[in-house]
Structure formats: structure tokens, C-alpha cells
């Protein structure tokens, strides 16, 4: 009898298992009928939870026949509870629709389910803060500062974590997964112009500081940001805006398929933006910008969706450039004046982006993305005035025509080993940049070419493969480990030589990552991020160095905590460290290579969000950094323009009566402008105001930049220049004045 007992128990367990059932479902946004990714789905009382996948799907298996309650929660949506009955040997299917709701910080939980990609701060900010222009998009990242020094048409200078990132050298920017940064750009490595994005179409921003994410490679040193545009419009709209300094703007978005499309799980819209402004400079900038975007989203099969995006962008402007302190102090020019009034530029970009997502019957996710950009750039600048050419001046032209091709693909699968969940992701990426007539020339008055400095064609390939494993051992502990391999082939054809000389170089780099997360409860999470990143250098530098020492590694770590000490208070704090190897930097303004040596940065980031009342929210970000060059004499080891302390914050208002808006400040402390800190970039403190009155069919808005009319320097550089008639060059601060009090009114109509 004893020998048959184990067999009897096995048969009973198999019979019990055979009668288990399950629950599966899809969660949609009720307004747009678009599936919602990342919704937290909990089986109330059982401690089981999961997240919806790319198609809004979720699934529970191995459930005994019984009634259950499922709770669905997603930031910015009303929490919903659904009663479900599970029957023997059956999977109960359901569809759920979530409706938009005001944000309640008391409902926000620190989730162990999404520890690796949890970004509560950015998700809250995008819901609470109105975005009024494309520059505001970047400021959604806590601690990130930007500065414009070419009249609004040129990409902004970016600062983050003790980095002067120039225009994108050490931060990777993407829009819907498509790269924004331009490698081997005429103006500088990683140049990232986001002005082709219409701010009203931004749905969210995913980001992470530091080189800790396996699928983010080149340029993701200080961090990365991926902006997500809306998949569908809930309604069509038109917006008209007018402001000081002869400023006008018109935006329109048309829902092309409407309810009939949503009934078939399809959506499509067409949007356009036109802007004009003379701006506040003494020399009118005659700024013009045109954007056109079209997007389609639909299901090819029940488990496969396709998203197609096409856009085109064009901009042209004059600008006043950077002006020296001595010219203003002597009265030669005013605060908003210029030394060379012929500076300016023109740029355009046309994009095609196709994204295909498939979820297999076994819940494996396959992603394929193909993108293409045609890009043109022409910029006239004069940083040194008459230092090199005392007769004609030092104006330069930087110009290029570029075709960019690329692919991103990944395969993800989940498996369960005991109580642990393993998510395996394998990915491949490819990018090729082909430029035609990349140019740096000495010019006069934007019409006369005095002499070419550089003129050639770039052909650069970056191919990568990566593997990533996310292991959730329990409801408390998760581990993420990954590694990626990047391969570069750089080619430069120098057209100034006779015959044209072509040089090539190849190189590769391996980047491992390891991240640990411990979630004590829904109010406390501790994490440790570690990893290696890098940024590539300009192809003209790479071939000149024969491929040696041109992929400097960056080694970083973050020790952080996400905590909710009170129901209405959320805090994210991290101590971080980043060490960079030797690197060579191509200075596009002069066409030369500068070795910058090793460097070390360390600091503390603190972000806090507090709901003061049902309608009022407060936020503050505090960021410190200590950037230093390594192997350099003390007192000579400062990193020019690297921020050491920044802070942003404000109050946001959301009411059911339609009144909403925010008042915000931003502060950046004084910082060294050169290696020995003998020249200092001055601190500034600026406040902005946004007020809206929103009803179902219209919105009236008032936007005020620099509410207190502070006189401030938006960008500052230590530059050696010579004014006309000066006997010798002078090395001092050159700056672009920041926006004075600038008010704009807008009216938006929805239908």
C-alpha cells in the first residue's frame, strides 16, 4: 500500500492542477481606445500582480475556480476594480477601459513589479505641468538645464550631472525610439536638435541618469531621454498664440479616423505647427519654424500592431551670438546687442519611423523598428570677432547634408522558476550616417567664402547587440544584468586634398551593466545601479587617430532610494559617481582636436513631490556635483562650465472648475568657466508662469517667461576674442542674454 501512496498523491495533484483556470484581458484608454502599457494589475487579497504588455494585455494562470477581484491602476487614470469568476479548465477573458483622472499622490505606490523602469517623478511631472514650448520638453528631466545661444533655431546647450554636454555629446536623446543626436555633426559630436517635436503632441518622457540601461549605447553617459509622442488624439484641436516681440504661433491637430477607426483599433492624425518671432534682441531674428507630423496606429493582427510616423521640419533665423562683457560695459553695444549682426542659420529634417510590435501566444514580445532621416544644416557664427582676421572678421560657416538609416530590434520572453520571474531580452541595433559635403569655412557676411577649413564626406556605421536579464526573485528583490557590444566603422573622405583622400578606422567596445533593487513595501525602495557607458568621437578625429583611444569608457554607479514617508509625499534621492577615461573631442568651431584627459564627477540628486491640497502640488529638485579633471595639478583641474549646483521647483494647480497652471523657478549656481576658475560663469535665478482656463471645447492660456524680469545670462563661455580696433585679444566671459519678461496668450479650440 505504501508503494502506491506517492503515485496516488501525484494523481490527485495532477487532477487538481488540471482543473485550474485563469484570467486574461486587455486594458484600453477609454478616450482613445489605445491599449495601455504598464498598467498595474493586482489580484486583490492574493498578493499576485503583473503589468500590461506592449499591447495592453495581462494574464494570470493557475487559479482555482472561485470569484476574484482585479484592481487596475495607472498614473493619471481612475483606479478600477472588476469582479471576475474563474471556472474549472477555463480562462476568463475581459476588456477594461480606464478613464482619465486627476493625479492623487496618495494613490502612487512604489512598485516592485517595475523597479527597473519605474520613473514616478517624470510620470507625475508630465501629468501636472503644462508644456508650452519645445525647450520645456527637456526640462522634464530633474536636474537637466538648457541654454540657447543662437536665436532659438540652433539646438540648446545641455547641462546635467556636472556635465557641460554641449549640444548632446554625453546624453542620448530619442523620440519614439528614433535617434535625435547626430554623430560627426558639422557643429559638434552628438548634436541634438529637438525642435522637430511639436510640444502639444508629447505624451511622456522616459529617462534614466547614468550609463545603466543595456539597450542604450552611444552617448548615454550622463543619461538618456526618450520622448513618447501621442499614439492617438482624443480630439481634434487648433491653437493660436500671440506674444510680445512680434511673436506668433499656430498649431493644429486633426483626428483623421475618429470613432469608426477606434472601433477597428485604428487611429491616425495629422498635426502642424508654424512659429514666427523677431525676439527680444536689438537685431531682429526673423525666426521662422514649420513642423508637419502624421501618425498612424493599427492592428495588423490581434497580436501585432503597427505604428507609422512621418514628419518634416524647417527653420530659418538670424541671431546675435555671444557678446563679450567688455562690449556691454563700455557701452559699445546694449545688453541685447550684437557684434556681428549677420549670424544666423537654416536647418531642416524629414523623418520616417515604423514600429512593429508582436506579442506571441506565449506572451513573448518581438519589436522591430526601422527609421530614416534626411537632415540639412547651415549655421553662421562668429565667436572670436576679429582675433584671427582683423580685416574681414572671424565668421564661420558650418554646413552638412545627411542621410540617416537605422534599425532597432528586440525579443523578450518571460519564464518562471519557482517563485522567481525571469525576463530575457535579446536585441540588435544598426545605424548608418552618410553626410555629403560636411563643411567648415571662413566666411564674410554670410555670402562670401574666404577660405575652406574642412570639406568632406562622412560614412559612419554603429552596429550593436545586447543581452539583458531582469530577475524578480520575490516581491522584494530584483536584479538586472546586461551586456552590450558596439562596433563602429568610421570613414572620412577629405575633399580638400587632391586627389580626395579616404581614411577608415574600426573599433569596438563592451559595456556591462548590473542593477539591484530592494522593495521593502509600497512606500520604500532601495536601488544600486552600476554600469559602463561611452561616447563615440567625430569620424574626423577617429581616422586621424587611426582608431586608437577614441571610444573612452565611462564607469558609473548610483545608490538611491525612493520613499513615501507620508501618503502625499514622494522622494527620490541618489548619490552618484562617474569616472571617464581619456577622450579626444572634436571642436567643430575650429576644426581641431583637443585631448581632455580623464575626469571624475560625483554628487547627490534629490527630487521631492508633495500634494499640498487636493488641487495644489509642490515639487523641488536639488542637484549637486563635484566635477574634476584627474592627473592635473590642484587648482588647475576644474571642468569649464560644468554645473556644481542646480535647483528647480514650483507649484502646480489643477482644479475641476478648469483653472490650472504652474509657477516655476530654476537656479544654477556660479561655476568655473575655465580650468583654474579665474573666470566665473555667473549664477542666475529665473521664474516662469503658466495659467490656463480649460473647458470641454476650449482652453485659454497665459504664458510668462521671466516673470520678475530678471537680467540674466543664459549661456556663458570663457572665450578669447578681439574687437575691431583692439590691439590684442582678451579672454573673458562671452554670453547670450536670457529672455526678459515675455508674455504670450493662447486660445485652443477642441472638437
Amino acid at each position: 500500500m505504501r508503494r502506491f501512496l506517492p503515485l496516488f498523491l501525484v494523481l490527485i495533484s495532477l487532477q487538481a492542477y488540471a482543473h485550474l483556470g485563469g484570467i486574461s484581458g486587455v486594458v484600453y484608454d477609454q478616450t482613445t481606445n489605445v491599449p495601455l502599457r504598464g498598467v498595474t494589475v493586482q489580484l486583490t487579497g492574493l498578493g499576485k500582480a503583473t503589468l500590461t504588455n506592449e499591447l495592453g494585455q495581462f494574464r494570470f494562470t493557475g487559479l482555482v475556480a472561485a470569484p476574484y477581484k482585479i484592481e487596475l491602476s495607472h498614473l493619471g487614470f481612475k483606479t478600477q476594480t472588476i469582479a471576475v469568476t474563474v471556472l474549472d479548465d477555463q480562462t476568463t477573458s475581459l476588456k477594461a477601459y480606464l478613464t482619465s483622472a486627476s493625479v492623487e499622490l496618495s494613490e502612487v505606490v512604489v512598485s516592485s513589479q517595475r523597479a527597473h523602469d519605474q520613473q514616478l517623478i517624470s510620470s507625475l511631472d508630465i501629468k501636472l505641468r503644462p508644456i508650452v514650448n519645445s525647450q520645456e520638453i527637456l526640462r522634464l528631466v530633474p536636474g537637466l538645464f538648457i541654454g540657447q545661444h543662437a536665436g532659438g533655431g540652433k539646438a540648446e546647450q545641455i547641462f546635467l550631472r556636472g556635465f557641460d554636454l554641449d549640444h548632446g555629446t554625453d546624453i542620448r536623446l530619442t523620440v519614439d525610439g528614433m535617434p535625435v543626436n547626430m554623430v560627426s555633426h558639422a557643429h559638434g559630436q552628438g548634436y541634438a536638435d529637438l525642435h522637430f517635436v511639436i510640444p502639444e503632441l508629447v505624451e511622456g518622457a522616459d529617462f534614466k541618469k547614468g550609463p545603466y540601461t543595456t539597450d542604450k549605447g552611444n552617448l548615454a553617459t550622463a543619461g538618456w531621454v526618450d520622448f513618447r509622442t501621442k499614439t492617438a488624439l482624443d480630439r481634434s484641436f487648433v491653437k493660436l498664440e500671440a506674444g510680445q516681440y512680434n511673436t506668433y504661433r499656430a498649431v493644429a491637430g486633426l483626428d483623421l479616423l475618429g470613432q469608426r477607426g477606434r472601433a477597428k483599433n485604428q487611429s491616425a492624425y495629422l498635426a502642424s505647427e508654424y512659429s514666427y518671432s523677431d525676439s527680444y534682441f536689438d537685431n531682429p531674428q526673423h525666426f521662422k519654424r514649420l513642423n508637419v507630423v502624421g501618425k498612424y496606429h493599427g492592428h495588423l493582427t490581434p497580436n501585432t500592431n503597427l505604428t507609422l510616423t512621418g514628419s518634416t521640419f524647417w527653420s530659418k533665423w538670424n541671431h546675435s551670438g555671444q557678446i563679450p562683457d567688455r562690449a556691454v560695459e563700455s557701452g559699445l553695444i546694449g545688453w541685447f546687442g550684437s557684434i556681428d549682426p549677420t549670424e544666423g542659420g537654416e536647418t531642416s529634417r524629414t523623418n520616417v519611423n515604423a514600429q512593429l510590435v508582436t506579442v506571441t501566444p506565449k506572451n513573448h514580445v518581438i519589436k522591430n523598428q526601422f527609421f530614416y532621416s534626411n537632415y540639412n544644416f547651415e549655421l553662421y557664427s562668429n565667436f572670436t570677432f576679429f582675433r584671427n582676421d582683423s580685416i574681414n572678421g572671424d565668421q564661420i560657416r558650418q554646413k552638412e547634408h545627411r542621410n540617416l538609416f537605422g534599425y532597432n530590434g528586440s525579443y523578450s520572453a518571460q519564464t518562471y522558476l519557482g517563485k522567481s520571474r525571469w525576463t530575457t531580452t535579446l536585441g540588435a541595433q544598426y545605424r548608418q550616417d552618410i553626410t555629403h559635403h560636411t563643411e567648415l569655412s571662413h566666411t564674410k557676411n554670410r555670402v562670401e567664402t574666404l577660405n575652406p577649413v574642412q570639406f568632406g564626406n562622412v560614412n559612419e556605421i554603429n552596429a550593436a547587440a545586447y543581452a539583458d536579464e531582469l530577475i524578480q526573485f520575490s516581491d522584494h528583490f530584483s536584479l538586472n544584468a546586461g551586456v552590450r557590444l558596439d562596433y563602429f566603422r568610421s570613414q572620412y573622405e577629405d575633399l580638400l586634398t587632391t586627389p580626395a583622400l579616404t581614411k577608415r578606422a574600426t573599433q569596438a567596445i563592451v559595456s556591462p551593466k548590473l542593477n539591484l533593487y530592494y522593495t521593502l513595501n509600497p512606500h520604500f525602495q532601495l536601488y544600486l545601479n552600476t554600469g559602463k557607458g561611452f561616447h563615440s568621437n567625430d569620424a574626423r578625429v577617429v581616422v586621424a587617430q587611426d582608431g586608437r583611444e577614441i571610444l573612452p569608457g565611462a564607469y558609473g554607479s548610483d545608490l538611491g532610494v525612493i520613499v513615501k514617508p507620508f501618503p502625499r509625499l514622494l522622494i527620490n534621492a541618489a548619490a552618484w559617481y562617474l569616472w571617464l577615461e581619456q577622450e579626444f573631442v572634436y571642436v567643430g568651431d575650429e576644426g581641431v582636436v583637443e585631448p581632455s584627459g580623464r575626469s571624475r564627477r560625483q554628487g547627490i540628486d534629490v527630487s521631492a513631490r508633495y500634494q499640498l491640497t487636493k488641487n495644489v502640488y509642490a515639487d523641488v529638485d536639488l542637484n549637486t556635483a563635484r566635477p574634476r579633471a584627474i592627473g592635473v595639478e590642484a587648482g588647475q583641474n576644474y571642468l569649464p562650465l560644468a554645473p556644481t549646483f542646480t535647483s528647480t521647483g514650483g507649484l502646480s494647480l489643477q482644479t475641476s472648475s478648469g483653472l490650472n497652471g504652474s509657477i516655476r523657478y530654476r537656479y544654477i549656481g556660479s561655476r568655473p568657466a575655465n580650468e583654474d576658475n579665474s573666470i566665473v560663469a555667473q549664477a542666475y535665478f529665473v521664474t516662469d508662469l503658466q495659467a490656463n482656463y480649460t473647458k470641454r471645447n476650449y482652453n485659454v492660456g497665459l504664458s510668462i517667461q521671466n516673470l520678475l524680469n530678471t537680467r540674466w545670462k543664459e549661456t556663458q563661455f570663457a572665450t578669447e576674442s578681439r574687437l575691431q580696433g583692439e590691439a590684442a585679444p582678451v579672454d573673458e566671459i562671452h554670453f547670450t542674454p536670457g529672455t526678459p519678461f515675455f508674455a504670450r496668450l493662447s486660445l485652443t479650440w477642441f472638437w
Side-chain angles (χ1 to χ4, degrees), residues 161 163 209-212 221-222 528-533 554-560 574-581 598-605 624-628 630:
R161 282 204 159 179
F163 278 88
K209 300 177 189 177
Y212 312 128
T221 307
L528 174 65
N529 295 148
T530 63
K532 177 185 177 183
Y555 301 84
S557 61
D558 270 51
L559 178 62
W576 57 271
Y577 177 91
L578 192 62
W579 183 88
L580 275 72
E581 290 179 336
R598 295 173 296 160
S599 64
R600 177 181 61 238
R601 292 167 174 84
Q602 56 194 31
I604 296 175
D605 290 347
T624 69
R626 191 176 188 274
R628 291 290 186 272
I630 299 176

Side-chain angles (χ1 to χ4, degrees), residues 10-56:
V10 169
L11 290 174
I12 290 177
S13 64
L14 288 175
Q15 185 178 12
Y17 181 80
H19 289 291
L20 295 178
I23 302 172
S24 66
V26 185
V27 184
Y28 298 91
D29 181 338
Q30 184 165 3
T31 304
T32 61
N33 206 40
V34 171
L36 287 174
R37 176 177 63 95
V39 177
T40 300
V41 186
Q42 291 183 315
L43 281 176
T44 306
L46 293 185
K48 286 190 175 184
T50 188
L51 300 174
T52 56
N53 62 23
E54 299 287 337
L55 300 183

Side-chain angles (χ1 to χ4, degrees), residues 205-216:
D206 297 325
F207 76 91
K208 182 162 283 191
K209 300 177 189 177
Y212 312 128
T213 311
T214 312
D215 65 342
K216 305 296 188 295

Side-chain angles (χ1 to χ4, degrees), residues 664-692:
R664 307 201 51 74
Y665 78 87
R666 60 186 185 275
Y667 171 80
I668 185 168
S670 296
R671 58 202 190 278
N674 60 356
E675 288 79 1
D676 62 5
N677 201 21
S678 60
I679 303 177
V680 176
Q682 296 177 3
Y684 65 76
F685 183 96
V686 180
T687 55
D688 300 323
L689 172 71
Q690 175 69 30
N692 298 314

Side-chain angles (χ1 to χ4, degrees), residues 541-574:
V541 177
V542 173
V543 299
Q545 297 291 330
D546 293 324
R548 298 189 306 271
E549 297 181 295
I550 45 69
L551 284 178
Y555 301 84
S557 61
D558 270 51
L559 178 62
V561 61
I562 302 174
V563 61
K564 281 193 70 179
F566 310 108
R568 293 189 172 188
L569 176 63
L570 176 68
I571 299 173
N572 189 345

Side-chain angles (χ1 to χ4, degrees), residues 1 76 267 322 436 512 596 616 713:
M1 181 64 183
S267 64
Q322 294 125 46
H436 177 66
S596 58
V616 180
K713 298 176 179 179

Side-chain angles (χ1 to χ4, degrees), residues 653-719:
L653 174 70
Q654 286 189 340
T655 69
S656 57
S657 65
L659 185 63
N660 62 87
S662 65
I663 182 168
R664 307 201 51 74
Y665 78 87
R666 60 186 185 275
Y667 171 80
I668 185 168
S670 296
R671 58 202 190 278
N674 60 356
E675 288 79 1
D676 62 5
N677 201 21
S678 60
I679 303 177
V680 176
Q682 296 177 3
Y684 65 76
F685 183 96
V686 180
T687 55
D688 300 323
L689 172 71
Q690 175 69 30
N692 298 314
Y693 183 69
T694 305
K695 288 299 183 181
R696 173 169 173 76
N697 293 324
Y698 67 90
N699 177 83
V700 179
L702 170 65
S703 171
I704 300 178
Q705 293 176 265
N706 195 358
L707 180 65
L708 303 179
N709 200 25
T710 302
R711 176 166 283 196
W712 60 295
K713 298 176 179 179
E714 185 166 6
T715 57
Q716 303 173 67
F717 302 87
T719 305

